[in-house]
Amino acid sequence: MEAIDTASILARFEVIGKIKEVKPLGNGLINDTYHVITDGVETPDYVLQRINNAIFQDVDLLQHNIEVVTAHIRSKLEACGTDDIDRKVLQFIKARDGKTYYRDDTERYWRVMVYIPDSFTHEAVTPQSAHDAGKAFGQFEQMLVDVPEQLGETIPDFHNMELRMRQLREAVSNDAMGRLDEVRGIVDELECDADEMCQAERLYREGKLPKRICHCDTKVNNMLFDRNGQVLCVIDLDTVMPSFIFSDYGDFLRTGANFTSEDDPDLSRVGFNEAIFKSFTTGYLQSAGNFLTPIEIEHLPYAVALFPFMQCVRFLADYINGDTYYKIKYPTHNLDRARNQLALYRDVRKHDAMMAAFIQEQL
Ligand code: GN1
Ligand code: MG
């Protein structure tokens, strides 16, 4: 990481206290994150983040979404008399010009939030953490069902399956790297199910499926826990935007309920973990069950299939294009990822009936 003058950046924000140390925090792949330690027990520590504006091109819209969402959650927590609110919702610090971000001379974007002390993230998905995650992400959506204004999409059409298919077809027709022959079989298999997987966009156009404010990056490490393992809050709000609730439900299970990682080249290890599916679903329906419409609930098994399918399409398109989007560690990394996600997709489809029955039992 290049040397940055964190003191002069922090001076642009209304932070209080004397800064003792600034050190890297977490292992995020998109933004650069630092823990700002202040002197004394009275002043809070902070989190300083450089926003990746290559991916999030409209930082003003991004921060506006986050401000609206955190203010709304805070008012909900206040209304129910929740204790310790500052640990249950992120709090952003204003820059001297009143905005919650600062653009430096080199067009880098920065933001500062209050560090929540004694908080932890977990990387491992267990039935217990999957249950907690389902409940927490469902609650997050639930608190945001009545957000007072229309929010924008921080990455336009992020989870639009029709768009992802168009991008794959474009990659196929360009075949920029001459890789098409190698992947023809996968493309054909994806094309067979493409129409079915694009049903969310059709339901939306027919007015049958709503978009709601979703998190859109539902991983277990995007939640903070306290010392006793209780969920404090949901973090990493950059992708919070209007989407189908399938985004939050399906994408968690894509990573959390795969027996192995998304880039494991040994396909014999790939498979759908029913126990994680069940615990996550139980937690999610506990908090989201009361606002979801019958159409949304009926399509939850579809959402579980949709996300490995979509991710396979995205990895494959990137492989055909010559690896321009995802970072790769070796030449066929994206191809291995695509094959892995396709294997997961196939296995999920074998569980369609089980999933539908399990969801009905929970209602
Ligand atoms: C990217 O950076 P990370 O790993 O949180 C991608 C997700 C994909 C994921 C696949 C902005 O997320 O949509 O599901 O890779 N995020 C963006 O590993 O494209
Ligand atoms: Mg992330």
Side-chain angles (χ1 to χ4, degrees), residues 3 18 27 32 47 51 66 84 89 94 99 150 170 183 195 203 219 225 229 260-262 268 298 318-319 332 357:
K18 189 167 170 294
N27 53 3
D32 301 335
V47 175
I51 304 167
I66 292 179
D84 222 4
V89 61
K94 288 207 159 90
K99 293 189 171 142
Q150 178 70 39
E170 205 181 304
V183 301
D195 251 17
L203 288 168
K219 298 195 186 89
F225 294 83
T260 189
S261 62
E262 69 181 8
S268 72
E298 183 194 320
D318 200 34
Y319 179 68
T332 55

Side-chain angles (χ1 to χ4, degrees), residues 30 55 155 158 217 219 254 262 311 314-315 325-326:
I30 306 263
I55 292 185
I155 300 178
F158 189 37
D217 190 14
K219 298 195 186 89
R254 181 184 72 78
E262 69 181 8
Q311 202 58 60
R314 293 176 66 189
F315 285 144
Y325 189 87
Y326 293 107

